[in-house]
Amino acid sequence: MFVPGTVGVIGAGTMGSGIAVVAARAGHRTVLHDVDDARVAAGIDRVHAFLARSTKLGKLSADQADQARRGLSGSTALEELSDCDVVIEAVYEDVAVKQRLFADLDDICKPDTLFHTNTSTLAVTAIAAGSVRRERVVGTHYCNPAPLMSLVEVVEGRHTSADACRRTHEFLAGVGKTTVTTKDMPGFIVNRFLIPFENNAIRLLEMNMGTVESIDKAVTQGLRYPMGPFTLLDIVGLDVHRAVSISLYEQLREPRFAPPPLVDRMIASGDLGRKSGRGFYTYDSTGHFGS
C-alpha cells in the first residue's frame, strides 16, 4: 500500500485549500503552495476554518484537528516541495501554465514523486507533456467541495504508467476517497453531466420559470440531490463555473456547455458566490447564508 509521507498542493484557492484539508485531515504532512504570501495565508485560513467547523459539528475530534493543523504548512517556494511523495496541482485551467509547472517540478522533486493534476476540462496527456517523466503524471479530478465530496475521477494520460495509477488509487483510498477511472476526454464523466445541468438551471432562472430557492428546492426534493444547483454554483464560484463552461464549449462546440448571459453579468458585478459574500444567495462573514 502506497502511503506518502508528505503531500504538496499547488494553488491555495477554493479547490487547492479543499484538497489540503483532505490530505492534512488524513494525517499527511501537507505543504500548501501559491505565488504570494497573501494567497498562501488565505488558503491556510480556509483550511483552519474548515477544521474548526468540522470539530464544532462533531465530525472531527479536537485532537484530529490539532494534528491536521500541526502537519500543515504554507510556502511560496516550489523548492519546499522537494520531499513530497505526491504533488497535486490545482492552478488555473491553462495547459501552458500547468506544463511549465511540472517542468519546474522535474528539477525539484524526487524521480518517483507522483504528479497529480486536478484539471476538470483539459487533456492530461497534454499537461503531462511538460514533464520529462510523463509516466508519473495522473489526472485526479476532485469533486467540489473536495473535503465533503467522496468522489475523485482518476484519468490516465497516454503515457501514464500502471504503477503511477496503482499508487494514485491507493493514496486516494487512504485519504477516504472513492475513485472511478475515466478516459482522457474533455470534462471526463462528472462535468459532462454537471455543466449542462447547472447551465440549464441558470436558463430556467433567466426565463422566470422559478426562483433561486424554488429551483434548488425542486432539485433537492424532487430529484433527491443533496444540494441544489445554485447552492453548488455559489460554493464553486461563478468565475470558476464560467471558465469550465467556456473550456468545454471551445473543445466540444456543443451549445449546452456555453454559459448563459446571467453568468457574465454576475461576474461583472462581483457576485461570484460564497467567496465574495454574494452570488445567487447572500452570505455573512462566516460563509453562511445571510439575511
Side-chain angles (χ1 to χ4, degrees):
M1 175 67 73
F2 173 61
V3 181
T6 305
V7 176
V9 181
I10 302 177
T14 301
M15 180 57 80
S17 58
I19 295 172
V21 169
V22 172
R25 187 175 58 188
H28 298 298
R29 178 174 176 268
T30 304
V31 182
L32 184 59
H33 172 278
D34 215 312
V35 294
D36 60 55
D37 290 331
R39 295 186 187 187
V40 172
I44 295 290
D45 286 346
R46 277 189 286 269
V47 175
H48 287 175
F50 186 91
L51 295 172
R53 287 197 300 271
S54 297
T55 302
K56 185 177 181 179
L57 293 171
K59 297 181 178 180
L60 202 65
S61 71
D63 286 344
Q64 289 172 320
D66 286 341
Q67 180 183 356
R69 291 189 196 96
R70 288 195 301 270
L72 176 68
S73 62
S75 178
T76 59
L78 278 178
E79 289 75 16
E80 292 295 319
L81 306 179
S82 61
D83 290 334
C84 291
D85 301 296
V86 179
V87 174
I88 307 161
E89 69 82 7
V91 303
Y92 186 71
E93 286 286 84
D94 183 298
V95 170
V97 170
K98 294 175 186 286
Q99 287 176 337
R100 287 196 297 271
L101 175 59
F102 284 131
D104 290 340
L105 290 171
D106 279 339
D107 297 327
I108 294 170
C109 296
K110 299 175 290 187
D112 61 345
T113 297
L114 283 177
F115 288 168
H116 287 175
T117 172
N118 184 57
T119 182
S120 57
T121 64
L122 302 175
V124 173
T125 299
I127 294 169
S131 173
V132 296
R133 299 186 182 91
R134 302 175 187 181
E135 70 279 357
R136 63 174 169 176
V137 180
V138 187
T140 55
H141 177 225
Y142 290 71
C143 291
N144 203 351
L148 301 179
M149 303 296 284
S150 63
L151 185 71
V152 176
E153 294 178 296
V154 176
V155 189
E156 301 176 20
R158 182 175 176 85
H159 300 289
T160 304
S161 70
D163 178 68
C165 285
R166 175 189 61 78
R167 290 193 291 149
T168 295
H169 282 285
E170 290 177 353
F171 163 68
L172 291 168
V175 297
K177 295 300 182 182
T178 300
T179 58
V180 294
T181 302
T182 182
K183 291 181 65 176
D184 190 13
M185 298 287 288
F188 314 131
I189 296 172
V190 171
N191 278 329
R192 285 289 186 111
F193 289 124
L194 179 61
I195 297 303
F197 170 71
E198 290 177 327
N199 283 336
N200 281 337
I202 298 169
R203 293 186 184 103
L204 287 176
L205 184 66
E206 289 179 324
M207 296 165 58
N208 294 317
M209 291 289 289
T211 64
V212 167
E213 293 81 3
S214 67
I215 294 171
D216 266 3
K217 185 176 182 179
V219 169
T220 58
Q221 300 299 309
L223 300 179
R224 301 296 296 273
Y225 284 26
M227 186 182 298
F230 296 115
T231 301
L232 179 58
L233 282 162
D234 274 2
I235 292 174
V236 172
L238 271 293
D239 52 341
V240 175
H241 172 77
R242 184 186 187 279
V244 174
S245 293
I246 290 294
S247 179
L248 290 176
Y249 176 69
E250 289 177 344
Q251 293 179 79
L252 301 171
R253 294 298 174 183
E254 295 183 24
R256 63 198 182 102
F257 290 106
L262 178 58
V263 174
D264 285 331
R265 296 200 300 273
M266 292 181 67
I267 292 173
S269 64
D271 297 336
L272 305 181
R274 184 178 291 182
K275 62 187 173 185
S276 68
R278 182 183 178 91
F280 290 103
Y281 295 96
T282 302
Y283 301 86
D284 62 22
S285 60
T286 66
H288 295 91
F289 291 143
S291 56

